[in-house]
Amino acid sequence: MGLWAAVHAERLGIQALLVEAGRFGQGASGGLLGALMPHMPDKWSDKKQFQFDALIALEEEVAALEAETGLSAGYRRAGRLIPLPKPHLRQIALGHSEDADVHWRHGERRFHWHVLDAAPVEGWIEPSLAESGFVYDTLAARVAPRALLKVLCKFLAGARHVRIAEGVAIDGVDPERGLARTKDGDIRFGRCILAAGHRSFPILDALTEGRKSSLGQSVKGQAAMLKADVDGGLPVIFRDGLYIVPHENGLVAVGSTSENRFEDPLSTDGQLDDLLAAARAMAPALAGAEVVERWAGLRPKAVDRDPMVGAHPDHPSLIALTGGFKVSFGLAHRLAEAAVREAADVAGCFKLPRTFTLASHISVISHKS
Ligand SMILES: Cc1cc2nc3c(=O)[nH]c(=O)nc-3n(C[C@H](O)[C@H](O)[C@H](O)COP(=O)(O)OP(=O)(O)OC[C@H]3O[C@@H](n4cnc5c(N)ncnc54)[C@H](O)[C@@H]3O)c2cc1C
């Protein structure tokens, strides 16, 4: 999120400094999956419209940055396959298909929630696990997380208005005095955008009076990368929290666990082995595939589950940019743009859903007993 904020600051000609405690990508964003999964097309809302617009805009954003940097972000609108093991799920999917026809439109472009008897590609997904057919959604995409970070960093390396610094940890923020504390001295700011992933929550908690619980928590996730003889253009497979995401060069990411309790935030264990077994059963092409990396990270989950963006109601010079939880990659560019425009008092080009604002999350914890 922070890198996207820096990109928008640069585009708007805002003098900014982006600091990172360690190395860029050492947090949740430096993972393996990069699935860009639309919400269900039913029960349409401003949140779903926001995500839809963001998913469409990302394609152009990535293409522009790739052209400027000469690097690839490993982006592809590959679609998504969801097996339907029971007849009633097919009925529900048919309803979603009609919803997608209504809502998944952008100008002349149409995206679909097809309900099919057989998968559109042979030999990828195990047919016996889909007795009632498949959903094939043509909106879903994927991006290679680390490749995208490289693109963003390269763009910023050539920036004229924004400076970036690794190895600078912020120990505390004093918004009234416009100071961010580091062990090597204070950094002065006019506005501060806080995009420290799950570590943003304790900083925001310390500044929020009258709260009855924390503004957010970290949720651990484990994932793995396999090397297989698999075409990177194949659709992402999704079922019950299991994602199988084909990337370029025969790499296939498998994820993710979702753990509210954990001892070691960055270790992997038997839960990942179970996920890998499920993935190999779902996609037989992965049966003998070598595991080239096991990885774990902490997602930032805000108290009201939605992203958390915008000025602190009591400390307006501090702007939150966190809480992307499981869908950050498809939203980060837009959330960051909203945060930067708010910080710079520049009118926004789109409206942020009200429940995404920091003020909305604070009102939720203020009313909790
Ligand atoms: C296993 C797993 C799979 C996932 N799969 C997907 C997926 O397929 N699609 C998707 O959209 N999302 C996915 N996510 C979620 C996504 O990765 C996160 O929501 C997202 O990366 C959060 O981005 P962020 O910038 O808010 O936080 P981070 O990427 O964690 O970045 C925060 C940065 O702030 C730095 N920092 C922290 N504290 C300080 C400080 N005090 N001073 C200076 N710097 C500091 C950290 O070092 C870190 O680099 C997944 C997450 C996990 C764990």
Side-chain angles (χ1 to χ4, degrees), residues 165-335:
E166 291 181 310
V168 181
I170 301 299
D171 297 328
V173 181
D174 181 344
E176 264 52 66
R177 297 172 67 198
L179 294 177
R181 314 271 187 209
T182 80
K183 71 173 173 34
D184 296 320
D186 295 343
I187 301 171
R188 266 186 193 288
F189 62 80
R191 300 285 163 90
C192 170
I193 295 179
L194 183 61
H198 72 96
R199 291 191 190 279
S200 310
F201 300 130
I203 297 174
L204 292 167
D205 284 344
L207 293 168
T208 307
E209 277 177 30
R211 61 180 186 86
K212 295 186 175 138
S213 56
S214 176
L215 277 161
Q217 66 172 110
S218 51
V219 176
K220 180 175 173 180
Q222 302 181 38
M225 189 67 95
L226 308 186
K227 182 92 174 108
D229 186 15
V230 163
D231 179 349
L234 287 171
V236 172
I237 297 175
F238 173 71
R239 196 191 69 188
D240 297 339
L242 169 69
Y243 291 85
I244 305 174
V245 187
H247 287 280
E248 304 300 325
N249 305 318
L251 293 173
V252 180
V254 171
S256 303
T257 65
S258 193
E259 303 161 51
N260 288 314
R261 286 174 194 201
F262 45 87
E263 278 175 15
D264 180 351
L266 301 179
S267 63
T268 61
D269 56 32
Q271 297 177 76
L272 183 56
D273 297 328
D274 293 346
L275 216 52
L276 283 166
R280 292 184 202 277
M282 179 73 79
L286 302 180
E290 180 196 355
V291 177
V292 291
E293 184 174 349
R294 296 165 68 97
W295 180 87
L298 296 181
R299 311 173 178 97
K301 181 184 178 194
V303 62
D304 209 20
R305 208 184 161 101
D306 285 339
M308 180 182 277
V309 182
H312 194 295
D314 303 325
H315 308 283
S317 63
L318 187 74
I319 289 109
L321 178 56
T322 184
F325 194 29
K326 295 185 175 175
V327 292
S328 287
F329 279 100
L331 299 179
H333 54 303
R334 284 261 159 137
L335 300 178

Side-chain angles (χ1 to χ4, degrees), residues 3 61 93 150 164 193 257 310 348:
L3 288 165
E61 285 275 14
K150 279 192 186 147
I164 56 177
I193 295 179
T257 65

Side-chain angles (χ1 to χ4, degrees), residues 23 121 139 173 209 237 297 358:
R23 310 280 307 191
V121 279
L139 176 57
V173 181
E209 277 177 30
I237 297 175
L358 173 58

